[in-house]
Amino acid sequence: VTALVPSTDLAWKTMKEAGRWPASCWRELFVYGSFIVACGRVALGDAPDALRRIDLAFMVGGPQTVCNLFFVLVDPMVTREPLPSEGLALVIRTPDGRRAAIEQALLVNAHLEKIAVLDNPNPTDFQRLHVEPGIPVVLSGCMLGIDGRPWPALTKWPNLEYLARDLGHRVVPIEVGWPSEASFQEKAMSIREFVL
């Protein structure tokens, strides 16, 4: 298994340097090599590295069923790290002037028209009355589960402490900067690293 690590690292480096997907053989080498290396890492007791490798394989298009099986089996083996005692705060980082421009655009739109609010609309009516004619609407009450309670993600995902504590060990793709700028880049990092 350790002999395969340099090959998967080379495949990752090649994909990363290409900016987008080079020949599909590099992606296949990375994905299936990562599956094999992850199995070896679990056998050696290194569940965090195994999970990181499967997260990356999933990000580049690894088979969902295989990745999900790894996630279900390996994620419970990963120890959650404690959070800093001062807690977390959300900070939005934007280039100079962008935040003001975004806020002003929202403010201008708010004064142009009064937008209707629909509470849990019928999908057919929503399509006919708003989507097809292009009429804006604010939707509310659409995130309820079958049991009528709000979708748990509505309270969990905005909570940075929950994300860092319970999901901080997971690797996700992060976009840094604005896509229209030359400095824009995509990175793979843990949720904990991103939030902290």
Side-chain angles (χ1 to χ4, degrees), residues 134-186:
I135 298 172
V137 64
V138 174
L139 301 176
S140 70
C142 298
M143 303 299 276
L144 299 177
I146 296 172
D147 58 3
R149 293 187 305 180
W151 184 37
L154 294 175
T155 55
K156 289 182 175 182
W157 292 0
N159 182 334
L160 297 180
E161 290 183 12
Y162 161 78
L163 291 174
R165 181 188 64 242
D166 292 3
L167 303 171
H169 60 287
R170 300 302 301 270
V171 176
V172 295
I174 303 292
E175 295 179 344
V176 180
W178 295 90
S180 61
E181 296 177 355
S183 62
F184 175 78
Q185 57 182 310
E186 296 174 343

Side-chain angles (χ1 to χ4, degrees), residues 62-137:
Q64 185 176 359
T65 53
V66 177
C67 292
N68 283 342
L69 179 61
F70 269 99
F71 297 150
V72 168
L73 296 174
V74 178
D75 190 63
M77 299 177 192
V78 177
T79 304
R80 304 323 194 239
E81 294 181 35
L83 295 175
S85 59
E86 69 270 5
L88 304 172
L90 179 61
V91 177
I92 298 173
R93 295 177 183 93
T94 59
D96 291 344
R98 295 272 174 128
R99 182 182 305 186
I102 292 168
E103 289 172 356
Q104 183 158 354
L106 291 173
L107 186 61
V108 167
N109 190 41
H111 292 295
L112 289 178
E113 58 184 292
K114 180 159 177 65
I115 298 175
V117 177
L118 295 180
D119 186 47
N120 200 13
N122 171 303
T124 305
D125 291 342
F126 171 67
Q127 176 74 26
R128 183 175 50 84
L129 298 172
H130 294 280
V131 175
E132 290 172 5
I135 298 172
V137 64

Side-chain angles (χ1 to χ4, degrees), residues 12 30-31 34-43 45-60 66-80 165-173 188-191:
W12 179 257
F30 180 75
V31 168
S34 294
F35 289 160
I36 295 167
V37 172
C39 288
R41 293 291 196 233
V42 169
D46 191 356
D49 186 64
L51 193 60
R52 182 185 67 80
R53 290 177 183 280
I54 299 305
D55 280 336
L56 292 172
F58 184 67
M59 284 172 20
V60 299
V66 177
C67 292
N68 283 342
L69 179 61
F70 269 99
F71 297 150
V72 168
L73 296 174
V74 178
D75 190 63
M77 299 177 192
V78 177
T79 304
R80 304 323 194 239
R165 181 188 64 242
D166 292 3
L167 303 171
H169 60 287
R170 300 302 301 270
V171 176
V172 295
M189 65 176 62
S190 72
I191 292 175

